[in-house]
Amino acid sequence: MHCHCRLLVLLTALIACTGAMAAPAPAWAGAAGALTIMQPEPPRSMDPADQMATDTASILNAMYEGLVRADADRTIHPLLATSWSHDPQGTTWDFVLRRNVKFHDGHTMTAAGVVHSFRRLLDMNAPLAGSSRFRAVVDTVTTTDDDMTVRFSLRHPYPDFLLLLSFSQACVTSPYVGASLARHADGTGPFRFDEWKSSEYVRQVRNPDYWGTPPDLASVRWIWSAEPSVMDMALHTGDTDIVGDLPALYARQMENDPRFVIHDDPNGPLYWIAINMDRPAGADRRIRQALNYATDRRALVHALLRDWGQPARSPLQPVSPYFVSYAPDPQYDPQRARALLAEAGSPSGITFSLAVQDMDEPLAEALQDMWKKSGITMQISRLEGGVYASEAFADPAQKAALQLDGVLASWSAGFIPDMQLRPLFHGASAAPAGANLGFFHDPGVDALINAGAVEPSEDKRRVIYARLQEMIMHDAPAVLIYTRDTLVGMRTDISGLVVRPDGALDITHVTRNRQPHS
């Protein structure tokens, strides 16, 4: 999830480094072969397994690699593994590793080192933020008689296993770095970690021992600011070369400016309000439905996204091959919302308290004004990233003490439907264990999520996921708002940037023809 900062989202660690835009660039910034990238938030960790935020993954992608990588069309390519095979049941997978690959600390990558990396994810005694994605699928990871082959034994067949291995949490880490991994990255990627100045920047430098084609860039500096105007200004002044998560307002202003290129990726995060099922607003389905009827999604997409997005009509993003719209039509009907509130015993309306991360406050304020027309008074609790995470992932008792009716969040899971639906709507994913922030629990939904994850037949999976979307839309455990395109603003001398299926940036092949900034 990226709680606005992409994956999507902040459903990661309950602590976060915070910071504003970097201080004046050091002397090396702006030099030939150097690149500066600005994002909305700082990294959560230098450990790929201990984070779930898209902006963090963008930084780590330059320093780490997984066994495989996925294209935007879900095509799988070799990376640290050169080939793989599995048994007829799809529960035992063998990956043959690439030889002569070195970690940044100088040690050679071996099967034992890769096994150590994945066992960290499966360790019940030291849970990491990304562990939940893998524990439900992977039973054991071992070496074989071939010292360059790694074997995965799955708990059950998982048709999307290769896609799962392309996630940033599955990146291979050095077994020699120890506890310092949270602050000092140690992978096999084309860039090495150089420095993390918590409130200012992360710096990376070219890896001279990289096994593949070395990057053109000599160094990369990542900076951050949650202020849209600062992001816009930094790109115009040349203080940054790329802005990830460029606000739609400024993207529209730049799209015809010859100095800039706007990369538009429709596979962006879903924004939703998780309704607390243990509070009065969540316990009555009529009130949950009223909140949905009170939401003018098209108006929000137009006003806040400048039409770079789509109104939500399903818990899956429209780019998903399993997407089916079961939304009521029209979705926006204030009179119907008022009637449902009256049926639920609240003819004079209700009050709804919402937790929101500071950078998503404009969306919350737009909803606040919109819901008034249906008799719903929204109370907004605007929270800084770390505080937001602790409240968003609070358990039922903690949320009751906070009198919290809902949480505004965003989530992006690439193309794996199980990784979109299971974290948000499966009963076992109820916070703090997962991103089911409103504690929704339907045994029928749980059973279908489990069935869809292991079903090898594509036709049967489509039937399962169609039924799941229908059930979730009918029960309305959340206000599904919109999916937002991932917008990246770049100066025109930049080329080669790739946006991965999870929304994270890949700068491995970025090149530049440095021109004086105007």
Side-chain angles (χ1 to χ4, degrees):
M1 166 171 135
H2 156 206
C3 261
H4 233 112
C5 341
R6 262 169 126 90
L7 213 34
L8 297 189
V9 220
L10 189 90
L11 312 179
T12 30
L14 300 185
I15 57 172
C17 302
T18 59
M21 179 181 169
W28 58 266
L35 190 76
T36 300
I37 304 171
M38 176 175 279
Q39 300 193 122
E41 70 166 5
R44 309 294 172 78
S45 174
M46 292 293 108
D47 183 348
D50 202 22
Q51 57 81 35
M52 293 277 282
T54 309
D55 289 332
T56 300
S58 293
I59 296 174
L60 301 185
N61 283 342
M63 300 182 289
Y64 291 100
E65 297 171 308
L67 297 177
V68 300
R69 67 174 179 86
D71 281 346
D73 64 358
R74 307 204 309 168
T75 302
I76 301 295
H77 299 275
L79 201 53
L80 292 181
T82 57
S83 63
W84 50 86
S85 59
H86 59 79
D87 65 354
Q89 293 74 37
T91 56
T92 300
W93 290 71
D94 286 351
F95 291 81
V96 178
L97 300 180
R98 190 177 300 278
R99 294 183 180 273
N100 302 315
V101 175
K102 290 187 179 296
F103 290 108
H104 297 161
D105 57 29
H107 290 91
T108 299
M109 182 187 74
T110 64
V114 173
V115 167
H116 177 274
S117 183
F118 279 96
R119 283 182 176 172
R120 295 173 59 242
L121 274 171
L122 305 180
D123 186 354
M124 296 295 293
N125 297 318
L128 301 169
S131 294
S132 60
R133 283 183 165 175
F134 294 86
R135 284 193 197 139
V137 176
V138 179
D139 185 20
T140 61
V141 187
T142 60
T143 57
T144 68
D145 292 338
D146 177 357
D147 64 359
M148 288 302 286
T149 298
V150 174
R151 175 165 293 168
F152 290 80
S153 297
L154 308 189
R155 297 183 181 279
H156 46 68
Y158 196 76
D160 291 321
F161 182 54
L162 289 175
L163 277 173
L164 180 64
L165 288 181
S166 74
F167 281 25
S168 63
Q169 292 78 24
C171 285
V172 176
T173 60
S174 171
Y176 303 98
V177 68
S180 65
L181 192 61
R183 294 290 304 180
H184 188 110
D186 193 350
T188 63
F191 291 91
R192 289 180 174 178
F193 175 83
D194 184 62
E195 183 182 14
W196 179 7
K197 196 166 185 179
S198 293
S199 62
E200 297 184 18
Y201 61 84
V202 169
R203 187 186 179 209
Q204 303 161 340
V205 295
R206 182 192 293 138
N207 176 12
D209 300 320
Y210 183 54
W211 62 266
T213 303
D216 273 6
L217 300 170
S219 61
V220 181
R221 185 176 63 127
W222 300 81
I223 58 178
W224 42 86
S225 173
E227 294 298 328
S229 60
V230 173
M231 301 171 82
D232 175 61
M233 181 66 70
L235 198 56
H236 277 82
T237 60
D239 289 335
T240 189
D241 304 293
I242 298 174
V243 171
D245 256 358
L246 182 68
L249 168 63
Y250 297 109
R252 282 289 178 216
Q253 295 173 354
M254 290 182 194
E255 63 179 332
N256 295 316
D257 190 322
R259 296 173 296 172
F260 308 109
V261 174
I262 304 299
H263 178 96
D264 177 14
D265 183 354
N267 184 27
L270 169 71
Y271 284 72
W272 90 105
I273 293 174
I275 305 171
N276 188 345
M277 305 294 283
D278 294 337
R279 296 275 291 168
D284 193 312
R285 186 170 64 192
R286 294 167 297 187
I287 295 179
R288 303 196 302 268
Q289 291 172 336
L291 296 173
N292 277 276
Y293 278 114
T295 305
D296 190 346
R297 295 160 178 81
R298 292 190 181 279
L300 293 170
V301 168
H302 181 69
L304 299 180
L305 304 184
R306 299 305 194 270
D307 298 316
W308 262 318
Q310 297 187 50
R313 302 185 72 85
S314 160
L316 293 180
Q317 287 101 321
V319 296
S320 170
Y322 303 99
F323 171 83
V324 179
S325 173
Y326 285 101
D329 204 0
Q331 287 184 280
Y332 178 55
D333 189 341
Q335 295 307 313
R336 177 66 176 144
R338 283 186 176 273
L340 284 166
L341 291 177
E343 288 178 25
S346 300
S348 58
I350 64 169
T351 298
F352 188 92
S353 62
L354 181 71
V356 55
Q357 193 178 8
D358 47 11
M359 63 185 67
D360 287 333
E361 189 174 24
L363 173 54
E365 290 176 340
L367 285 165
Q368 182 183 52
D369 186 61
M370 188 176 288
W371 284 7
K372 288 178 183 177
K373 300 170 185 175
S374 300
I376 302 163
T377 300
M378 179 191 291
Q379 296 176 342
I380 299 173
S381 179
R382 177 183 185 273
L383 305 169
E384 169 274 327
V387 178
Y388 167 86
S390 66
E391 292 199 9
F393 286 92
D395 63 28
Q398 292 170 317
K399 281 197 171 84
L402 293 166
Q403 297 185 324
L404 194 58
D405 295 309
V407 176
L408 174 62
S410 58
W411 185 268
S412 181
F415 291 103
I416 303 181
D418 183 56
M419 291 299 164
Q420 182 76 18
L421 299 175
R422 182 180 301 276
L424 307 191
F425 299 106
H426 196 288
S429 300
N436 181 352
L437 307 180
F439 318 114
F440 174 66
H441 181 212
D442 181 326
V445 168
D446 291 354
L448 284 176
I449 289 176
N450 293 338
V454 303
E455 176 54 59
S457 165
E458 189 67 20
D459 289 341
K460 291 180 180 178
R461 291 184 92 200
R462 290 184 185 279
V463 172
I464 290 170
Y465 285 120
R467 176 59 179 152
L468 263 171
Q469 291 167 85
E470 181 182 30
M471 292 173 68
I472 292 170
M473 292 301 293
H474 178 261
D475 220 23
V479 179
L480 305 173
I481 303 170
Y482 54 52
T483 56
R484 176 185 59 75
D485 291 8
T486 298
L487 301 173
V488 182
M490 301 180 288
R491 298 192 68 87
T492 53
D493 56 356
I494 304 296
S495 61
L497 181 76
V498 173
V499 179
R500 294 190 176 187
D502 62 359
L505 305 183
D506 184 343
I507 63 166
T508 303
H509 302 295
V510 166
T511 60
R512 71 177 312 150
N513 176 24
R514 189 77 187 188
Q515 300 292 334
H517 291 311
S518 55

